[in-house]
Amino acid sequence: MDSLRRSSKAKAALAFWPFGVRAAVLLVPVLLVVLAGAWGAARNALGLGAVSPGWVLAVIVGLSVLPVLLVVLSGVASSGVDPGSVKASLTAAAGTRRGPAVPRNLASDRAVAPLRGLRGAEVVVVDLEDGHAWWEHRLLLLCAAAARLGRPPVVVFTAQRQGRPGQFIGWARPSDLLERLQDADPALRKAYLEASGQAAGVRMAEASGPGPAARLMKELGLEGMRDLTHPPPRETLSPFLEEQLLARAVSGFDALPHELDVPQLEQLFTPVLHTRALERTDGDAAWLRAALLDEGDYIAFTDAGRYTGILPGPAVARVALLALLPP
């Protein structure tokens, strides 16, 4: 009799998904594979190659995690679940992925060193402060490094608004920012392409022996700059060669830089800037509903507008589900 009561209670607790939590979790990777395969077949058969893969991926991921979302919604709908506790768990998880802040403006010859510590980061924070903390060519350097290395994949922008520091402005992918910066300023594009070409030449010459390498360094205008391309004490090719050469190429902008404030940021990046965030002061039920229905690649979290953290979209349902399960 007790087992029957427990079974009926479990079914009632999963009103939106009657197949159990385990089935919901195991079904996610199966749906991902099936939907991805179906899309591949449909794209070839129906000639849908022009459809943006980003939107398709978002839809596939959203549909794949739907069983887990239904389990979470079932738990929220049951009388024993407090949406506030799930909200607290999600907020805490986002806080662990807040990301390090990049130091404010440095001269170009000193701006490469901080980039070395970002290779393991998932998120990096660029704080515009009052609009005098960051230059466009400094952001170009950061985004060029992140786009080339693939880390960090997300740049979060914050700034001072109405006297309040650290206010969330939006997040974007480094590759998108890099493209928009080049489109907006031909001089930045020229510097970026010049540095990329020089770096490719140096890397190719490295395998050709000292003689050919020295001749090519001279042709590239890098004669006598071995300390830059092969820094001591190891004197091996710099892993940040592209960024070293780009910093050299944009050093002339230091004297008369283009500063980045919020209006300029929005003017440059609105098409690629994601500004939506989950605000902690919103009602618990509405907040949780917005979190579970958001299909973005990343979801930012704020508290009275102040940036507190970020989570990958697929992680939101997982964290929410774990918050509903018994310890």
Side-chain angles (χ1 to χ4, degrees):
M1 184 68 68
D2 289 341
S3 62
L4 288 175
R5 285 200 196 97
R6 285 195 296 269
S7 176
S8 61
K9 188 178 294 184
K11 290 181 179 178
L14 296 177
F16 298 112
W17 178 261
F19 306 109
V21 175
R22 181 182 178 85
V25 174
L26 293 177
L27 195 57
V28 171
V30 175
L31 285 174
L32 273 173
V33 172
V34 171
L35 290 173
W39 163 245
R43 182 179 58 182
N44 294 331
L46 302 177
L48 300 176
V51 178
S52 171
W55 285 105
V56 174
L57 180 60
V59 171
I60 289 176
V61 171
L63 290 175
S64 300
V65 301
L66 184 59
V68 176
L69 293 179
L70 292 175
V71 170
V72 174
L73 289 174
S74 298
V76 172
S78 66
S79 58
V81 174
D82 175 17
S85 64
V86 182
K87 179 180 180 179
S89 296
L90 284 169
T91 301
T96 64
R97 298 175 184 247
R98 187 182 189 281
V102 184
R104 70 197 318 271
N105 282 325
L106 298 170
S108 294
D109 59 348
R110 295 188 291 121
V112 175
L115 301 179
R116 301 178 186 276
L118 301 180
R119 285 179 289 183
E122 185 173 1
V123 181
V124 64
V125 179
V126 170
D127 188 5
L128 304 181
E129 300 181 15
D130 60 356
H132 301 293
W134 271 81
W135 302 331
E136 287 184 19
H137 66 281
R138 175 80 194 290
L139 182 61
L140 177 83
L141 186 61
L142 168 65
C143 294
R148 182 178 70 86
L149 298 171
R151 304 289 292 187
V154 174
V155 178
V156 170
F157 293 98
T158 61
Q160 179 177 306
R161 273 182 164 171
Q162 299 177 343
R164 295 179 297 173
Q167 297 292 293
F168 175 72
I169 307 301
W171 67 266
R173 297 193 178 278
S175 56
D176 292 335
L177 298 172
L178 178 62
E179 183 177 347
R180 299 285 300 180
L181 282 167
Q182 293 182 75
D183 289 344
D185 191 335
L188 289 182
R189 178 183 292 278
K190 180 178 182 296
Y192 174 74
L193 294 177
E194 178 184 284
S196 299
Q198 288 179 331
V202 171
R203 291 192 184 279
M204 290 179 63
E206 183 75 1
S208 303
R215 286 194 297 272
L216 183 58
M217 290 278 284
K218 183 177 181 179
E219 292 174 7
L220 294 174
L222 299 175
E223 187 177 21
M225 296 187 183
R226 188 170 175 81
D227 284 352
L228 179 69
T229 60
H230 298 71
R234 297 180 61 186
E235 296 188 358
T236 56
L237 198 62
S238 170
F240 284 85
L241 176 64
E242 285 79 358
E243 289 69 49
Q244 295 281 8
L245 294 174
L246 180 56
R248 173 176 173 267
V250 299
S251 60
F253 292 91
D254 288 359
L256 194 62
H258 291 164
E259 293 182 326
L260 269 176
D261 56 15
V262 173
Q264 179 68 3
L265 184 83
E266 293 173 342
Q267 180 181 340
L268 284 169
F269 304 125
T270 288
V272 299
L273 192 65
H274 303 264
T275 58
R276 186 165 55 184
L278 294 174
E279 170 54 46
R280 189 195 66 82
T281 57
D282 291 344
D284 292 349
W287 187 97
L288 185 55
R289 187 179 300 110
L292 295 176
L293 294 177
D294 194 314
E295 296 182 353
D297 293 337
Y298 286 85
I299 302 176
F301 291 67
T302 58
D303 187 353
R306 186 182 181 91
Y307 170 70
T308 59
I310 197 168
L311 277 179
V316 170
R318 183 169 67 251
V319 174
L321 178 60
L322 289 173
L324 291 173
L325 296 177

